[in-house]
Amino acid sequence: MTEHTLTVAGVAVDTRHWIGGERVASTETFPDVSPIDGSVLGEISRGTAVEATAAVAAAKASFPAWAATPRAERARILHAIADGVEKRLEELAIVETTDNGALLRSHRRGVMPRVAHNFRFFADWLLKLEHEDFETRGHTNHVSWDPAGPCVLITPWNAPLMLATWKVAPALAAGNTVVLKPAEWTPLTASLLADIAAEAGLPAGVLNVVQGYGSEIGDALTSHPDVRRISFTGSVPTAKRISASAAANLTPLSLELGGKSPLLVFADADLDLAVDLAVEQYDNAGQVCLAATRFLVQESVAEEFTRRFVEKAGQLTQGDPRDEATDIGPNIHPRQLEKIDGFVQRAIAAGARAVIGGHRGDGQYYAPTLLTDVAQDSEIVQEEVFGPVLTLQTFADEDEAVRLANDTRFGLAATVATGDPERAERVTAQLVAGTVWTNCFFVRDLQAPFGGSRHSGVGREGGTWSFDFYCDLKNTVTAPKGWQSHE
């Protein structure tokens, strides 16, 4: 390990920022700690307003040339980045597992392949992005997507590289330049992405990566007058601060925030399927914004559903995420673990019953938990826990199910289990959510709009919706052929 390099499972990671095509060190650092065993992986350059300003300046300087780069060339470079990701897939997987504690098998088989797919999808979508010309009184209307300028992308720790590239790929495809600010708890794969992008031929300054604490560097990024777009995934309180910071410049925002999504299980559902969907909500130790953390089960099947759920959840293995047999890894940080346990202990003190779990494990592990006897207006039902903690409530009929499902300030997702197609159509039409799954979960296609309603977010991204956000849409109106100027 050199002064500015740390090594994770034999993979060297530069700990400095990536600004204007060069590595830049800060005078101060912050520790990067693995949630698996609490070990310090290394010291990371701790950015300030100085590095933030330099990164925006680099993005601004490189913007004209990148914006003018033909679509086909931009797409070629994005495919080359995807090639680089696939070439280093195993390295990215082990580094991210060590950094954020998610399952290595998931990173190998799903997450890192999705990272490459993000670049390939938006590269290909760019080449077919068009709107059919239309006429108005003989005049031709032509819609185009013009690059907007430097973008600040602020990403979370629960799926660091996948969620970063979900933003980086369309922003670059659109012809914009980027300043990426990864979460301070999981900075490593963003650094590796900078290396991969440079090796793929992305021009200097088009992608910049600055590391540090949001409280120290965030405002300098989000309030900068040269920033043309801000995309953020994270908590509602942080989103409010970013919105206030961006307001002075009227900088457009895309915000993907928290969730408190329901899983509605009707008596006519396939209970084995419903239980499988329910147990899946422990994925990534419950650190998934889309997770259906509130089980709403029809009274007549609630007892049987609970029995089967307890049996199925009891088969899960919690432990080292690098082990192929592990189903649930650690939670990200001691502070997050304290938050999770606080939610659970307050709920139990208020009368909730822990059917399973309800306590910490060793280290940064929290036992998979299911709480019943919870009130609709209670904290545990209304607030996002972001850990392996689920609640179960019952309902009598369809109307009550919909009322309970919609009775939160969030609206990110919902899942419905029913054997009646007509009921599915009625219920899904009434649910307040950006995504609704019927008899399935976590089926995601980049062609689809993604985002949340209410406090779960602002805007939609995916497919053309991403280009609508990352571009300035222009309509050019041309008079009929043969027109003459009137001077």
Side-chain angles (χ1 to χ4, degrees):
M1 185 184 300
T2 64
E3 181 184 2
H4 298 301
T5 305
L6 59 81
T7 303
V8 177
V11 182
V13 184
D14 201 302
T15 61
R16 295 170 291 180
H17 314 284
W18 178 253
I19 300 174
E22 296 180 350
R23 289 293 177 178
V24 177
S26 295
T27 55
E28 295 188 23
T29 63
F30 64 93
D32 183 32
V33 179
S34 174
I36 298 174
D37 55 11
S39 62
V40 176
L41 300 175
E43 293 290 327
I44 310 298
S45 279
R46 180 173 173 173
T48 65
V50 173
E51 288 84 4
T53 302
V56 173
K60 181 181 180 181
S62 63
F63 171 68
W66 181 245
T69 301
R71 284 188 177 191
E73 177 61 9
R74 295 205 302 263
R76 185 194 67 77
I77 293 176
L78 262 63
H79 275 291
I81 295 174
D83 292 341
V85 169
E86 290 172 347
K87 182 180 178 180
R88 301 187 67 177
L89 189 145
E90 181 65 23
E91 295 179 6
L92 292 166
I94 188 61
V95 168
E96 188 142 298
T97 288
T98 307
D99 207 17
N100 88 326
L103 301 184
L104 179 57
R105 73 181 192 214
S106 296
H107 280 137
R108 284 171 169 160
R109 299 170 192 171
V111 177
M112 294 309 162
R114 169 63 183 272
V115 168
H117 177 64
N118 285 346
F119 285 104
R120 297 201 191 283
F121 174 87
F122 286 107
D124 292 342
W125 200 268
L126 169 66
L127 296 180
K128 63 182 181 181
L129 182 67
E130 63 178 353
H131 189 290
E132 185 176 352
D133 290 352
F134 56 96
E135 289 195 0
T136 303
R137 298 189 301 277
H139 296 65
T140 300
N141 293 263
H142 176 75
V143 176
S144 59
W145 286 260
D146 292 355
C151 301
V152 165
L153 311 179
I154 304 173
T155 54
W157 45 260
N158 58 323
L161 191 57
M162 193 275 287
L163 291 178
T165 56
W166 159 253
K167 301 175 188 296
V168 170
L172 295 181
N176 297 326
T177 52
V178 165
V179 178
L180 171 63
K181 161 55 177 79
E184 57 265 30
W185 288 347
T186 54
L188 300 186
T189 48
S191 180
L192 293 176
L193 177 64
D195 294 335
I196 291 170
E199 292 167 5
L202 190 69
V206 174
L207 171 64
N208 306 274
V209 179
V210 289
Q211 303 151 159
Y213 296 114
S215 58
E216 297 176 352
I217 198 172
D219 186 65
L221 292 171
T222 57
S223 66
H224 200 294
D226 290 333
V227 171
R228 296 290 179 259
R229 295 290 187 274
I230 299 170
S231 181
F232 168 73
T233 298
S235 71
V236 173
T238 302
K240 290 181 178 180
R241 291 194 294 271
I242 290 172
S243 299
S245 180
N249 301 310
L250 295 178
T251 308
L253 296 165
S254 177
L255 304 173
E256 196 269 283
L257 310 177
K260 196 67 179 176
S261 302
L263 165 61
L264 288 73
V265 179
F266 289 92
D268 57 17
D270 178 336
L271 276 193
D272 285 334
L273 171 64
V275 167
D276 286 345
L277 296 174
V279 172
E280 195 174 346
Q281 308 312 312
Y282 287 131
D283 181 49
N284 202 18
Q287 299 168 142
V288 178
C289 58
L290 291 164
T293 57
R294 295 184 295 133
F295 298 166
L296 304 176
V297 185
Q298 197 152 17
E299 292 169 347
S300 60
V301 295
E303 183 176 348
E304 178 63 14
F305 172 88
T306 303
R307 185 190 69 77
R308 295 192 197 186
F309 175 85
V310 169
E311 180 181 355
K312 186 85 173 180
Q315 298 170 12
L316 296 174
T317 299
Q318 188 169 32
D320 192 321
R322 296 165 295 192
D323 189 329
E324 280 282 320
T326 296
D327 300 304
I328 303 178
N331 290 98
I332 185 68
H333 192 275
R335 196 162 75 215
Q336 183 67 14
L337 198 71
E338 288 287 341
K339 176 184 173 185
I340 294 166
D341 194 49
F343 271 113
V344 172
Q345 300 314 317
R346 289 192 297 274
I348 292 174
R353 180 172 67 91
V355 179
I356 59 172
H359 57 84
R360 302 181 188 213
D362 294 331
Q364 286 176 211
Y365 294 79
Y366 203 87
T369 297
L370 176 66
L371 300 175
T372 60
D373 301 331
V374 293
Q376 178 62 23
D377 61 354
S378 64
E379 177 192 55
I380 197 68
V381 170
Q382 293 294 326
E383 298 298 327
E384 186 176 43
V385 177
F386 223 61
V389 178
L390 311 171
T391 62
L392 189 150
Q393 300 165 268
T394 61
F395 63 84
D397 55 28
E398 203 172 286
D399 289 342
E400 186 180 18
V402 171
R403 179 181 63 79
L404 292 173
N406 288 339
D407 186 21
T408 77
R409 63 192 175 107
F410 297 104
L412 187 56
T415 304
V416 178
T418 178
D420 184 344
E422 293 182 355
R423 166 174 282 142
E425 186 174 348
R426 286 194 306 271
V427 170
T428 58
Q430 297 176 74
L431 294 176
V432 179
T435 300
V436 181
W437 289 286
T438 302
N439 294 326
C440 60
F441 177 67
F442 219 54
V443 178
R444 290 276 303 277
D445 193 310
L446 288 179
Q447 298 180 74
F450 179 76
S453 303
R454 297 175 175 169
H455 280 205
S456 286
V458 175
R460 296 291 186 271
E461 295 187 40
T464 301
W465 290 277
S466 285
F467 288 94
D468 287 348
F469 172 70
Y470 287 109
C471 291
D472 289 327
L473 270 72
K474 179 190 292 178
N475 185 43
T476 302
V477 184
T478 304
K481 292 182 179 179
W483 66 275
Q484 295 181 349
S485 62
H486 300 280
E487 296 181 356

